Amino acid sequence: MALPIEDYALIGDRRTAALVGRNGSIDWLCLPRFDSDACLAALLGTEDHGHWQLCPVDEFTSERRYVDGSSVLETTFTTADGVVTLTDLMPRGDGRADVVRRLTGVRGTVRIRHEWMVRLDYGKVRPWVRRREIGGEHVITAVGGPDQLILRGPRLPVATDHRHNDEFEVCEGDELVFSTTWLPSHVELDDLGDLQDRIRITIDQDEEWASRCPADVPHADVVRRSLLTLRLLTHEQTGGIVAAPTTSLPEDFGGERNWDYRYCWLRDAALTLSSLIRAGYTEEAELWRGWLLRAVAGDPEDLQIMYAVDGARRLPEHTLDHLPGYAGSTPVRIGNGAVEQLQSDVLGEVMIALEHTRTAGRSPDDNAWALQVALVDQLARTWDRPDNGLWEIRGVPQRFTHSRVMVWAAFDRAVRAVEEHDLPGPVEEWRAVRDQVREEVLDKGFDRDRNTFTQHYATTEVDASLLVLPLVGFLDGDDPRVLGTIAAIEADLLRDGLVRRYRTGSGVDGLSGDEHPFLACSFWLVSAYAAAGRTDDAHALFDRLVGLVNDVGLLSEEYDVGEGRMAGNFPQAFSHLALVQAAFDLAATK
């Protein structure tokens, strides 16, 4: 069975990523791209679905850290006989996908077990494995369909019952470097290159980027790790930002709330971009803006809420019935049916992010503004429709209050662009729609008896997304209606002091089961407290939330307070971007 979610760490090359367990096992790896088929899929099944492990044979303890300000992972194993360090990374810059693992003897002698078991197509396909020679070096290759994986190292494991195993001793001062390289199966290599140089170059590049992280925010070290994680989830060539590198890690252990997050939601990507810009990383803005222009090119009516990392539109959802799922949580889903949904809030987040890009001083792009004009004009014709909302409900579409507020935000930012940046557009028309939406929200989305905004117009339920109203400027943070909404959310949605998205018992999402507090929503409450002047409460909650990160500073989507464990896809961009935003909101209260 896979480890607890919090026992994994992330490595990546900004094209794809892997999850490494504290036991030295890589249990999840999609090559060559975030949304490619997994070749190591033990995370959603068993070892037989693919894993690559280097760990002591004897009983051990392990400690982990990222090397300085990098995304290079170092795991130190301690046994009764010695200490050995395992360094894991995915080097960047050569256009191919590699996982590099370096064992270093620190003290004494440690006997190491090495198991390399590749299974293609999410653990379903057993590849053709053989020993070969490339550039005078003996290697093992695994080939299946379009994929080829090459294992190299100072000693290669031996095939036993369709898996490759080895045991050997690492003494103080020893250093052994192994790597797995992905290539298209038709490509032949003459030379595999020098791995040591690539390890140093990767660390140096990461440290240079991390050195620019702001230090004048609370828990600056955790904020820096969150920013590095968001960077790892950004494809370095296309600019697409994935919501998470995993699929089907459950929100409800043993239940059906399992989704594929290896795609680029316009909302999540826009919020990520806003967090990076706020931290001073403005160069990422142009990369993502280019991705946006390519992804949504064409008729504004064809706008989707999400795309593949290269901007592809077709993301059909289906299940992988050969995988038993994490902790028996089925179905395991590939693709995401939410791609067909209407979520009216999305353009609001996009317009806010693009406004941040302008105010950050990045070079203007006439094509980007022309696209925004077309999308806002389309929204003027469609905003009144019921939608599936921020949480992608699979129940009956509703007129969600948060969606309407973000419609207001889309028109508000369009008006600002004309008034403050002298960009062309039908500002009077946009201003009229903006005011109409605002009046409607204040009339139909507000429960006067309880003094709170509601999840949607046809209910008295509340929703954590209402916490963003002051954050996007719809109302001031100390407005009595905002204060009443915060109080209602505290009364209805807090579980052990953390915030759930909504009450699943209302049936609004059309799914069975329950879920745990949603970490991004809890960070929103920090920001809402700060905006409301409740700075002591904001700091106390932020301190508690920061205490939930795992030993290497990562967060999943949700947190099971009762069991003290993470839930949902991991690491989750939404959680980390909300952490960054909350830190800056707290810093602004000084």
Side-chain angles (χ1 to χ4, degrees):
M1 179 178 171
L3 298 171
I5 292 170
E6 58 270 18
D7 281 353
Y8 288 97
L10 182 74
I11 59 173
D13 60 4
R14 299 192 63 205
R15 298 186 184 195
T16 188
L19 292 191
V20 186
R22 64 168 55 253
N23 62 352
S25 182
I26 299 179
D27 288 345
W28 182 253
L29 175 61
C30 300
L31 291 173
R33 216 171 69 171
F34 292 108
D35 52 359
S36 298
D37 294 354
C39 60
L40 304 176
L43 183 69
L44 299 179
T46 69
E47 292 181 353
D48 292 335
H49 295 106
H51 78 135
W52 183 15
Q53 186 170 25
L54 287 162
C55 71
V57 171
D58 299 324
E59 184 176 346
F60 64 86
T61 60
S62 64
E63 294 183 356
R64 307 183 296 176
R65 70 181 186 102
Y66 284 111
V67 178
D68 301 323
S70 77
S71 298
V72 175
L73 179 69
E74 184 179 275
T75 304
T76 300
F77 297 109
T78 300
T79 72
D81 298 317
V83 178
V84 66
T85 295
L86 174 63
T87 302
D88 287 313
L89 70 150
M90 296 186 70
R92 296 190 300 276
D94 67 353
R96 73 187 197 196
D98 298 86
V99 179
V100 177
R101 319 196 75 186
R102 181 178 66 189
L103 283 166
T104 305
V106 177
R107 176 173 56 81
T109 300
V110 179
R111 189 161 185 82
I112 295 293
R113 180 174 69 251
H114 184 191
E115 182 162 274
W116 188 74
M117 192 171 73
V118 172
R119 293 292 183 265
L120 305 176
D121 192 16
Y122 300 99
K124 188 174 184 179
V125 174
R126 185 179 298 158
W128 174 36
V129 182
R130 57 181 174 147
R131 289 177 178 264
R132 296 179 55 203
E133 187 174 308
I134 296 177
E137 182 178 358
H138 293 286
V139 299
I140 296 174
T141 62
V143 176
D147 300 305
Q148 173 183 195
L149 295 168
I150 303 170
L151 175 67
R152 66 187 295 207
R155 54 182 294 154
L156 298 174
V158 178
T160 305
D161 192 25
H162 303 294
R163 61 180 65 200
H164 284 72
N165 297 282
D166 190 19
E167 288 189 9
F168 53 88
E169 291 184 342
V170 177
C171 302
E172 182 176 339
D174 288 348
E175 185 172 280
L176 297 87
V177 180
F178 299 88
S179 70
T180 294
T181 297
W182 177 92
L183 291 168
S185 58
H186 64 275
V187 172
E188 293 287 343
L189 280 183
D190 296 325
D191 180 32
L192 288 168
D194 187 304
L195 292 177
Q196 290 289 10
D197 286 346
R198 300 177 69 207
I199 294 174
R200 185 70 255 163
I201 290 170
T202 298
I203 293 174
D204 289 345
Q205 290 175 342
D206 283 352
E207 288 183 344
E208 189 284 324
W209 193 89
S211 69
R212 295 180 277 136
C213 288
D216 56 344
V217 293
H219 296 284
D221 56 334
V222 180
V223 172
R224 181 177 71 168
R225 180 52 52 193
S226 290
L227 290 166
L228 282 162
T229 302
L230 294 173
R231 181 174 184 247
L232 272 187
L233 298 179
T234 304
H235 195 284
E236 67 176 356
Q237 285 188 315
T238 69
I241 304 172
V242 297
T246 57
T247 179
S248 298
L249 290 180
E251 298 169 2
D252 181 21
F253 292 103
E256 66 168 329
R257 296 171 181 264
N258 320 310
W259 316 108
D260 192 347
Y261 278 8
R262 299 171 301 151
Y263 306 112
C264 305
W265 273 255
L266 293 184
R267 173 194 308 108
D268 297 42
L271 291 170
T272 297
L273 183 66
S274 294
S275 295
L276 289 168
I277 291 175
R278 202 167 182 184
Y281 290 103
T282 58
E283 63 270 25
E284 280 74 14
E286 291 186 8
L287 183 63
W288 179 77
R289 188 172 63 188
W291 175 86
L292 177 69
L293 287 170
R294 296 189 303 273
V296 307
D299 193 327
E301 292 186 5
D302 297 331
L303 179 71
Q304 296 182 175
I305 62 152
M306 58 191 285
Y307 300 84
V309 291
D310 61 356
R313 292 169 171 264
R314 295 186 182 276
L315 310 174
E317 182 178 306
H318 60 281
T319 62
L320 300 180
D321 297 331
H322 68 280
L323 286 173
Y326 183 90
S329 306
T330 57
V332 172
R333 291 183 170 93
I334 298 299
N336 199 307
V339 70
E340 303 292 340
Q341 289 186 355
L342 174 65
Q343 297 176 20
S344 299
D345 68 294
V346 168
L347 187 56
E349 284 96 359
V350 169
M351 293 292 290
I352 290 173
L354 291 173
E355 179 187 55
H356 289 164
T357 302
R358 282 192 297 272
T359 56
R362 301 309 295 182
S363 58
D365 187 320
D366 292 340
N367 292 324
W369 176 245
L371 172 65
Q372 291 174 74
V373 171
L375 292 175
V376 172
D377 285 345
Q378 172 65 19
L379 184 63
R381 296 188 289 271
T382 63
W383 69 268
D384 192 40
R385 299 175 185 172
D387 74 317
N388 301 90
L390 167 71
W391 307 127
E392 302 183 344
I393 65 158
R394 299 202 173 194
V396 178
Q398 303 287 347
R399 289 180 168 84
F400 287 99
T401 302
H402 171 267
S403 293
R404 292 296 200 266
V405 168
M406 296 312 298
V407 167
W408 170 88
F411 286 99
D412 181 69
R413 273 40 176 201
V415 169
R416 287 191 198 180
V418 174
E419 293 178 341
E420 298 174 8
H421 296 275
D422 200 28
L423 293 170
V427 66
E428 294 300 331
E429 177 185 337
W430 291 344
R431 191 181 291 113
V433 176
R434 179 190 65 179
D435 295 346
Q436 179 185 353
V437 174
R438 178 183 174 82
E439 291 175 7
E440 182 190 277
V441 169
L442 295 176
D443 179 38
K444 298 182 179 179
F446 187 73
D447 182 347
R448 291 167 179 78
D449 293 335
R450 199 179 175 195
N451 189 38
T452 180
F453 287 94
T454 59
Q455 182 181 48
H456 57 83
Y457 291 174
T459 186
T460 58
E461 295 279 339
V462 294
D463 189 299
S465 63
L466 300 169
L467 293 168
V468 308
L469 268 67
L471 309 184
V472 300
F474 187 80
L475 288 172
D476 291 336
D478 59 356
D479 186 288
R481 292 163 292 188
V482 170
L483 300 180
T485 301
I486 292 174
I489 289 171
E490 290 173 322
D492 291 5
L493 299 184
L494 286 187
R495 177 181 291 174
D496 299 311
L498 302 181
V499 184
R500 293 174 293 162
R501 297 188 295 179
Y502 50 86
R503 294 199 310 163
T504 55
S506 70
V508 67
D509 60 20
L511 298 168
S512 62
D514 198 5
E515 61 178 35
H516 303 286
F518 198 82
L519 290 171
C521 296
S522 298
F523 285 113
W524 284 346
L525 183 57
V526 171
S527 295
Y529 280 157
R534 294 172 58 177
T535 53
D536 289 345
D537 291 333
H539 280 283
L541 180 55
F542 191 70
D543 290 345
R544 183 185 177 193
L545 289 167
V546 166
L548 300 182
V549 303
N550 72 355
D551 56 318
V552 288
L554 302 180
L555 289 170
S556 63
E557 183 179 19
E558 299 183 357
Y559 193 81
D560 181 348
V561 181
E563 297 296 328
R565 62 180 179 177
M566 294 186 182
N569 283 304
F570 172 88
Q572 178 81 355
F574 216 155
S575 299
H576 285 283
L577 68 89
L579 183 155
V580 173
Q581 291 172 344
F584 278 100
D585 289 338
L586 281 177
T589 64
K590 293 180 180 179

